[in-house]
């Protein structure tokens, strides 16, 4: 995919602050906002101004630097414990995507590895590592697309869920990168985009990205996936991931599990695309993943208008877990991983 130039950058580092596309304004308006403190970063992650597992890891990393750069401690021990406090605070913004805590742990480890250096030098190294995490994600996402493209048959109808593109990552995306590469190879007939209730990441964001990339798509309500599969109009499903455990169980946007069950019932390949920062080798299986529950009004209201009687009780999990046995393959930057995931992950990622 040599000629592809991403039409936007969702996150940029601007010398002393972060600039992001505020995704809550899309698709109507492309608004950039500046984040200048850990508090603003926490709020942006919590309110999904920036969202998608790799993107919150990248933003959290820069937010951590903004926090430690303000610290006035000049003894390593107090500097380190204050840095830990900032990492814990930022990590509390959203619990399910492992990429956020993964980035913060990596930066804490960077600090520790520099413990004999002057504090100002440590701060510079932290910023350089945050920039590296961002650049690395671009490379990983490109590689995911290159590997994933080989799984796409000619003239493919691809169904996807939520948003997994450049908005949700450093660039290219995960599942979206596979679609992008498939399109460049002339193999994508059409993408079916799940609207992705309740916050409409599919309808608002994936359509916006596919349109910019000139990839043919049709938007569907989430519950239309069954009829499409029944009629033979889906050749493969590909989604991203927020956390993949050691055995391959995968947490992703609510509704992903439903799709996996349907795909299995119709003998349609169900793929997950994610970089290594999404694989959590500390958890054995998906039942150990904390699933974020969000506010009731995301379900009881639509465009600020009430769609349910007052005081309606709501259950609003933001993610679900697809068991590994329903996943045909997991596509990472290192290649296409087939079951047995535990064995292959241990070989590839236990570093
Ligand atoms: O709640 P969101 O919008 O942050 O959820 C995002 C997803 O579920 C994505 O599918 C996932 O993070 C993969 S992004 C490359």
């Amino acid at each position: 995919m040599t000629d592809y130039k991403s039409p936007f950058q969702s996150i940029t580092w601007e010398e002393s602050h972060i600039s992001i596309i505020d995704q809550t304004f899309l698709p109507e308006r492309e608004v950039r906002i500046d984040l200048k403190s850990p508090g603003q970063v926490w709020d942006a992650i919590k309110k999904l101004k920036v969202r998608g597992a790799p993107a919150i890891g990248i933003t959290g990393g820069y937010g951590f630097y903004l926090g430690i750069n303000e610290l006035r401690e000049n003894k390593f021990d107090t500097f380190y414990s204050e840095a830990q406090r900032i990492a814990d605070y930022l990590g509390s913004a959203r619990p399910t995507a492992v990429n956020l805590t993964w980035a913060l742990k990596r930066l804490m480890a960077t600090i520790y590895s520099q413990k004999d250096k002057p504090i100002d030098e440590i701060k510079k190294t932290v910023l350089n590592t945050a920039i590296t995490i961002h650049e690395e994600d671009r490379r990983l996402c490109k590689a995911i697309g290159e590997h994933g493209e080989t799984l796409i048959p000619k003239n493919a109808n691809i169904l996807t869920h939520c948003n997994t593109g450049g908005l949700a990552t450093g660039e290219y995306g995960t599942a979206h990168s596979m679609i992008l590469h498939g399109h460049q190879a002339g193999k994508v007939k059409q993408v079916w985009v799940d609207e992705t209730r309740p916050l409409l990441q599919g309808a608002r964001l994936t359509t916006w990205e596919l349109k910019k990339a000139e990839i043919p798509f049709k938007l569907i309500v989430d519950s239309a996936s069954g009829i499409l599969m029944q009629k033979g109009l889906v050749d493969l499903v590909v989604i991203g991931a927020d956390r993949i455990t050691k055995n391959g169980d995968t947490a992703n946007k609510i509704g992903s599990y439903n799709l996996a069950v349907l795909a299995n019932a119709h003998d349609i390949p169900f793929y997950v695309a994610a970089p290594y920062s999404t694989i959590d080798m500390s958890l054995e299986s998906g039942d150990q993943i904390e699933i974020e529950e969000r506010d009731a009004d995301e379900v009881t209201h639509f465009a600020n208008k009430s769609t349910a009687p007052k005081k309606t009780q709501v259950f609003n999990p933001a993610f679900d877990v697809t068991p590994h046995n329903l996943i045909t393959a997991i596509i990472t930057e290192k290649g296409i991983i087939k079951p047995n995931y535990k064995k292959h992950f241990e070989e590839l990622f236990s570093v």
Side-chain angles (χ1 to χ4, degrees):
M1 206 174 61
T2 43
D3 55 344
Y4 180 77
K5 178 103 186 62
S6 178
F8 63 90
Q9 291 290 324
S10 69
I11 307 159
T12 55
W13 175 251
E14 307 287 343
E15 300 217 347
S16 60
H17 67 268
I18 312 161
S19 163
I20 59 163
I21 295 180
D22 182 338
Q23 299 186 31
T24 60
F25 285 103
L26 290 173
E28 289 89 4
R29 285 192 294 140
E30 195 174 324
V31 176
R32 291 202 81 90
I33 56 166
D34 294 341
L35 307 176
K36 297 181 173 172
S37 68
Q40 289 181 346
V41 170
W42 190 93
D43 185 71
I45 292 173
K46 181 77 184 171
K47 294 187 177 148
L48 274 58
K49 294 176 184 180
V50 55
R51 46 142 301 283
I56 65 175
I58 294 163
T59 312
Y62 286 132
F64 176 75
Y65 168 73
L66 290 173
I68 62 136
N69 194 38
E70 291 298 309
L71 295 176
R72 291 293 155 249
E73 277 72 13
N74 45 27
K75 289 213 172 68
F76 181 80
D77 287 352
T78 46
F79 175 73
Y80 187 78
S81 58
E82 279 301 290
Q84 186 63 63
R85 187 184 55 74
I86 295 165
D88 292 345
Y89 167 67
L90 285 168
S92 72
R94 295 191 79 188
T96 303
V98 70
N99 312 60
L100 178 57
T101 43
W102 169 87
L104 296 166
K105 278 186 191 157
R106 180 163 165 184
L107 294 169
M108 282 303 294
T110 300
I111 292 183
Y112 195 75
S113 71
Q114 305 278 306
K115 66 177 185 304
D116 298 325
K117 302 264 170 62
I119 303 285
D120 279 351
E121 215 173 293
I122 299 179
K123 288 178 177 175
K124 280 187 197 134
T125 311
V126 167
L127 175 58
N128 287 336
T129 309
I131 292 169
T132 301
I133 289 172
H134 193 173
E135 283 170 357
E136 186 181 274
D137 190 68
R138 291 192 176 101
R139 284 199 304 277
L140 302 183
C141 286
K142 190 161 193 292
I144 288 170
E146 286 162 0
H147 293 300
E149 180 269 306
T150 63
L151 293 167
I152 300 177
K154 279 203 184 103
N155 215 24
N157 286 293
I158 302 176
L159 194 150
T160 193
H161 193 62
C162 199
N163 170 262
T164 63
L167 288 168
T169 60
E171 201 170 357
Y172 306 108
T174 54
H176 186 87
S177 181
M178 173 165 160
I179 294 169
L180 214 49
H181 282 76
H183 172 68
Q184 296 275 319
K187 297 201 282 187
V188 177
K189 182 175 177 199
Q190 175 177 275
V191 182
W192 298 110
V193 181
D194 266 0
E195 61 171 353
T196 317
R197 280 279 291 152
L199 295 180
L200 305 177
Q201 288 92 333
R204 295 187 304 106
L205 310 176
T206 302
T207 53
W208 185 80
E209 290 203 44
L210 288 169
K211 201 169 167 198
K212 275 194 187 287
E214 298 180 9
I215 300 174
F217 65 88
K218 274 200 185 106
L219 178 64
I220 54 169
V221 296
D222 298 331
S223 41
S225 44
I227 190 172
L228 287 179
M229 292 192 201
Q230 201 174 42
K231 287 183 176 293
L233 295 171
V234 178
D235 298 303
L236 64 97
V237 178
V238 62
I239 61 164
D242 286 82
R243 192 184 294 245
I244 302 173
T245 57
K246 209 182 209 175
N247 67 347
D249 291 351
T250 295
N252 191 56
K253 181 52 57 196
I254 191 74
S256 299
Y257 172 47
N258 307 37
L259 279 178
V261 172
L262 269 172
N264 244 257
H266 292 88
D267 225 5
I268 293 168
F270 183 89
Y271 299 120
V272 170
Y276 82 101
S277 53
T278 308
I279 301 171
D280 183 353
M281 293 297 279
S282 75
L283 298 186
E284 293 296 325
S285 63
D287 50 11
Q288 296 172 290
I289 299 175
E290 184 182 348
I291 299 294
E292 175 185 6
E293 284 184 35
R294 295 187 60 88
D295 286 350
D297 59 8
E298 291 182 355
V299 181
T300 56
H301 287 69
F302 193 83
N304 290 328
K305 205 172 169 314
S306 173
T307 55
K310 280 203 169 72
K311 295 192 181 156
T312 295
Q313 295 291 300
V314 166
F315 174 51
N316 184 20
F319 302 94
D320 59 24
V321 176
T322 299
H324 59 94
N325 61 308
L326 297 180
I327 300 169
T328 314
I330 297 177
I331 302 131
T332 75
E333 71 280 2
K334 299 218 182 192
I336 297 161
I337 304 176
K338 297 250 171 83
N340 173 351
Y341 298 116
K342 190 172 171 177
K343 179 170 164 283
H344 297 310
F345 284 166
E346 274 167 354
E347 285 161 7
L348 285 172
F349 296 107
S350 293
V351 273

